[in-house]
């Protein structure tokens, strides 16, 4: 027991130390390299700034991702040391899973950066995370291969079924988790600091969850999570430093993919995918709210982010205008329900033209809290994310007893 | 024994099948995606064409690399099946090594593509392969960890030392092998089809070498090599189809890094790094010849590739002109020796201005064979590469008995 204790303490020290080092390297390198992005024409305009001909380097998430990978490469021997059991094959299984995690993340960064550079089409955004999740799925298959799920109350009592073998569907679930996590962060974006800020809050929640469980029987999975999440927090904090209002760099799709895939890998291989999904409550809400626009039940403009007020320095809800005839029956149902729930504001002019506010959580926040400064909007969202993580912990550690026996 | 036989046959079928599939996918996708490269401004002019305002997509090596990775992800379970022994821990060791190989290659493609997009500086070209080789070095360290080398004749007889522990230097050697392989291919470039063609010849040599050894005791390492090299040949042949004279796409640094890292990984983890280096004879010759220019002992222009003849459709040796005073004492030594060896042509005009042909193997070929068409020059180089591989096989399977006991 004492031996295990020193292993866990050592692992904790290494992961936190790597987090700090990765922060420092990223913090130093982003300004050094951002000129290269400008000269490569990887740059975008900030739509919510008055001086919007000022070009901001775009896709610097690739710097963060590359540094993250290098830091993790360097601590592979420590991970092997601190995750190991008496049995050598467990050590090798852990090593394989760790490598598959890095491989999925590396592949996602590569594909994300390719997307940033080549501006791939919308349908690719669903294919790329599926491709990148292949390594973890394959290695899961050849090592664990466990596809059973434990049934929650009241199923065991009613049907006398405690576990259920999902089989192939379990792999579909894991693949879809990767697609969801990456795109969920990608569509909750567009305001300075919001992509990176939400990722840090989720990552800190994972960190806390793993620290809580480091004393439990399944400490090995949580050591794995610590090794992956601490350097992620490090690089993300450095990115946030430059991406905070007013942004000096944009993170690009690369960062959203990188963050999303890291979370998917953590959830899948750390065996806490349900807890992970609970840390995504704001993203799930935003995704569900966005569905009518994403699937074109109601028209979807190119940019859905809030707009700068014409005279004051505050953001206002962005809107989309269309004719009633442009909308099918499902779209009309949405237009009937959503305004009633206060999730969008709809106006109809004398020519039967409909204007609704775009269906995003950022617009909902503006609707509830009133027009506000861009920085304040980000802070509101981050507070919401923290509050939702609090709810997630409450469910995970208190309400869970109602559904599962320990 | 029969069981092993069917494993090897199965592995051979899977790797060849994957090679064919990867060829077809790459062959289909390159023209589909090359417009995206043009619109992203990832394009270059072909310096050796009359109509040189025609822009060619640059860096399509990333397509080849991504498809290569996806194909290998999909065959991870087969590899585990075909590389396994009775002992489960051997299976897991093999899996870890396979994953580390993919991780190094994936990281190299990511860094190579970043280089193509951001145009990193020269010094980075040495750092990037070192970074990308970290996964294989780390996994080698935690699994094998064997740093002994077998001494060749006459050392065992003279000093009574059969093996020697290189220790840390072994890791330095492996890292340098990665740096060498990537850059060696990168500097033997600039003529349509030459980067890709040389890589295919080297890969075919590896394939042949592994087929020869598939019946030996160390078949497991060669099964590993087959799994990695067949899909590489597949994607490279598809790239060559479009990159052959007149090139419709350029491969970019991405491809050179990708190819070089694949060879380094094969050499290191397949335990035939010395044989691998022998397949690089033309590249080694080109590197050694280039040293005076690469290290600026004599002036080095931005492009050293052969030039198009002003009126005829043939390539001529490219030259560089400088003053005698621009050259230090080491440079003067080079200028004394190299022309005597017939490796460069030097002229001095009345104003003491020196003109030499650039120090590349392509110029040497032009000097020996005379001015020739671009396509023919590539074919000459590929013939030379094939001949050198023949020499390598001769040394490896005939002369080796003079130096090592079996």
């Amino acid at each position: 027991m004492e031996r295990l204790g020193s292993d866990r303490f050592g692992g904790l020290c290494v992961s936190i130390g790597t987090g700090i080092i990765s922060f420092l390297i990223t913090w130093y390198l982003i300004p050094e390299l951002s000129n290269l992005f400008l000269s490569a024409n990887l740059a975008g305009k900030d739509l919510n700034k008055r001086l919007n001909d000022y070009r901001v380097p775009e896709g610097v998430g690739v710097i963060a991702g590359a540094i993250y990978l290098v830091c993790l490469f360097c601590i592979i021997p420590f991970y092997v040391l601190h995750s190991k059991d008496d049995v050598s094959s467990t050590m090798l299984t852990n090593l394989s899973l760790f490598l598959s995690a890095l491989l999925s993340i590396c592949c996602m960064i590569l594909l994300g950066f390719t997307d940033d550079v080549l501006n791939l089409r919308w349908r690719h955004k669903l294919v790329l995370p599926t491709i990148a999740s292949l390594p973890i799925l394959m290695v899961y298959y050849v090592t664990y291969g466990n596809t059973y799920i434990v049934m929650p109350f009241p199923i065991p009592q009613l049907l006398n079924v405690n576990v259920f073998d999902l089989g192939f569907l379990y792999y579909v679930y894991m693949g879809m988790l990767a697609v969801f996590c990456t795109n969920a962060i990608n569509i909750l974006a567009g305001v300075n600091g919001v992509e990176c800020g939400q990722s840090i809050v989720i990552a800190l929640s994972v960190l806390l969850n793993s620290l809580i469980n480091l004393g439990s029987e399944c400490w090995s999975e949580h050591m794995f999570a610590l090794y992956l999440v601490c350097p992620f927090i490090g690089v993300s904090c450095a990115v946030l430093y430059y991406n905070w209002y007013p942004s000096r760099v944009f993170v690009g799709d690369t960062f959203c993919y990188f963050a999303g895939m890291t979370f998917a890998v953590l959830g899948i291989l750390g065996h806490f995918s349900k807890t992970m999904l609970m840390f995504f409550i704001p993203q799930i809400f935003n995704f569900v709210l966005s569905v009518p626009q994403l699937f074109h039940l109601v028209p979807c403009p190119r940019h859905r982010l809030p707009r700068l007020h014409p005279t004051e320095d505050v953001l206002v809800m962005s809107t989309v205008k269309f004719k009633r005839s442009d909308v099918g029956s499902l779209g009309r149902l949405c237009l009937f329900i959503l305004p009633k729930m206060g999730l969008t504001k709809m106006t109809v002019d004398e020519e039967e033209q409909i204007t609704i506010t775009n269906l995003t959580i950022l617009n909902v926040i503006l609707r509830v809290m009133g027009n506000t400064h861009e920085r304040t909007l980000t802070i509101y969202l981050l507070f919401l994310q923290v509050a939702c993580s609090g709810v997630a912990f409450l469910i995970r550690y208190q309400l869970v007893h109602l559904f599962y026996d320990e």
Side-chain angles (χ1 to χ4, degrees), chain A residues 40-217:
Chain A
N41 210 21
L42 266 180
K45 288 177 185 170
D46 195 332
L47 296 174
N48 283 330
K49 299 288 177 294
R50 297 246 171 268
L51 295 165
N52 76 358
D53 52 344
Y54 174 72
R55 288 164 74 249
V56 180
E58 169 91 55
V60 295
V62 73
I63 302 176
I67 295 166
Y68 176 78
L69 287 172
V70 174
C71 289
L72 280 173
F73 292 164
C74 293
I75 58 172
I76 289 174
F78 293 101
Y79 176 71
V80 170
L81 192 71
H82 294 135
S83 79
K84 87 167 166 222
D85 218 301
D86 293 337
V87 195
S88 146
S89 73
T90 310
M91 183 272 264
L92 286 168
T93 307
N94 283 343
L95 175 61
S96 299
L97 291 170
F98 193 70
L99 291 172
S100 72
L102 294 186
L103 192 50
S104 278
I105 295 170
C106 184
C107 184
M108 192 74 269
I109 297 170
L110 169 63
L111 296 176
F113 188 57
T114 312
D115 184 10
D116 266 335
V117 172
L118 298 182
N119 293 308
L120 299 179
R121 297 188 190 89
W122 236 102
R123 61 173 185 275
H124 295 135
K125 300 205 191 279
L126 302 180
V127 177
L128 300 185
T130 312
I131 290 175
S133 64
L134 281 175
I136 47 168
L137 301 190
M138 292 297 175
V139 174
Y140 191 91
Y141 174 73
V142 297
T143 53
Y144 282 124
N146 177 2
T147 55
Y148 287 87
I149 53 166
V150 181
M151 288 285 144
F153 175 86
I155 299 173
Q157 285 70 16
L158 290 178
L159 302 175
N160 204 17
V161 183
N162 283 314
V163 292
F164 181 74
D165 186 4
L166 272 181
F168 178 71
L169 288 179
Y170 197 81
Y171 293 92
V172 176
Y173 163 70
M174 292 192 287
M176 283 175 67
L177 193 71
V179 175
F180 171 75
C181 288
T182 47
N183 285 293
I185 292 179
N186 213 0
I187 62 171
L188 179 36
V191 171
N192 287 182
V194 85
E195 299 93 340
C196 204
Q198 62 181 315
S199 303
I200 292 175
V201 175
I202 298 172
L204 287 172
S205 308
V206 173
L207 176 67
L208 182 60
N209 183 54
S210 289
L211 287 176
I212 291 171
N213 286 285
L214 210 56
S216 74
E217 272 179 22

Side-chain angles (χ1 to χ4, degrees), chain A residues 118-402:
Chain A
L118 298 182
N119 293 308
L120 299 179
R121 297 188 190 89
W122 236 102
R123 61 173 185 275
H124 295 135
K125 300 205 191 279
L126 302 180
V127 177
L128 300 185
T130 312
I131 290 175
S133 64
L134 281 175
I136 47 168
L137 301 190
M138 292 297 175
V139 174
Y140 191 91
Y141 174 73
V142 297
T143 53
Y144 282 124
N146 177 2
T147 55
Y148 287 87
I149 53 166
V150 181
M151 288 285 144
F153 175 86
I155 299 173
Q157 285 70 16
L158 290 178
L159 302 175
N160 204 17
V161 183
N162 283 314
V163 292
F164 181 74
D165 186 4
L166 272 181
F168 178 71
L169 288 179
Y170 197 81
Y171 293 92
V172 176
Y173 163 70
M174 292 192 287
M176 283 175 67
L177 193 71
V179 175
F180 171 75
C181 288
T182 47
N183 285 293
I185 292 179
N186 213 0
I187 62 171
L188 179 36
V191 171
N192 287 182
V194 85
E195 299 93 340
C196 204
Q198 62 181 315
S199 303
I200 292 175
V201 175
I202 298 172
L204 287 172
S205 308
V206 173
L207 176 67
L208 182 60
N209 183 54
S210 289
L211 287 176
I212 291 171
N213 286 285
L214 210 56
S216 74
E217 272 179 22
C218 54
W219 67 276
S220 177
E221 281 88 346
H222 291 282
M223 183 57 81
F224 169 85
L226 282 179
Y227 263 83
L228 285 182
V229 87
C230 288
F232 179 80
I233 294 172
V235 298
S236 299
C237 286
V239 172
L240 186 62
Y241 178 84
Y242 297 105
N243 185 233
W244 192 251
Y245 180 91
S247 291
R248 280 170 284 170
V249 299
F250 288 149
V251 297
D253 287 348
T254 317
F255 184 83
C256 301
Y257 281 129
F258 160 45
M261 188 47 95
T262 306
F263 296 137
V265 163
L266 283 168
I268 293 169
L269 297 184
H271 296 282
F272 52 88
S273 61
K274 292 194 293 291
T275 310
M276 181 60 87
L277 279 177
M278 286 193 291
F279 295 146
F280 271 75
I281 295 173
Q283 284 73 24
I284 294 173
F285 176 81
N286 185 54
F287 174 72
V288 174
L289 182 61
S290 300
V291 160
Q293 287 198 309
L294 293 183
F295 291 90
H296 292 281
L297 305 182
V298 300
C300 182
R302 172 140 171 65
H303 293 290
R304 305 193 302 150
L305 66 158
R307 290 283 152 82
L308 190 63
H309 190 279
T311 52
E312 291 167 52
D313 194 14
V314 294
L315 294 188
V316 297
M317 291 183 280
S318 62
T319 56
V320 58
K321 194 173 184 177
F322 50 89
K323 288 187 194 141
R324 194 178 283 273
S325 56
D326 292 349
V327 182
S329 51
L330 270 177
R332 277 183 210 163
L333 186 66
C334 297
L335 293 180
F336 179 73
I337 296 171
L338 293 173
K340 282 214 178 0
M341 294 173 73
L343 297 173
T344 183
K345 193 172 152 187
M346 185 168 84
T347 52
V348 185
D349 65 11
E350 54 274 25
E351 290 165 357
E352 284 289 292
Q353 294 247 53
I354 299 176
T355 305
I356 58 165
T357 56
N358 283 308
L359 302 169
T360 68
I361 195 171
L362 293 172
N363 275 346
V364 173
I365 293 175
L366 284 178
R367 186 162 161 72
V368 174
M369 307 298 286
N371 297 342
T372 181
H373 189 267
E374 185 169 5
R375 179 171 39 209
T376 318
L377 179 61
T378 307
I379 294 172
Y380 284 156
L381 182 92
L382 296 185
F383 265 114
L384 182 68
Q385 186 91 42
V386 171
C388 290
S389 279
V391 173
F393 277 104
L394 195 72
I395 298 173
R396 170 68 187 79
Y397 291 99
Q398 298 300 326
L399 301 186
V400 71
H401 303 300
L402 302 179

Side-chain angles (χ1 to χ4, degrees), chain A residues 32-43 55 57:
Chain A
E32 289 285 308
L33 295 176
S34 54
N35 274 336
L36 292 176
F37 284 76
L38 289 176
S39 33
N41 210 21
L42 266 180
R55 288 164 74 249

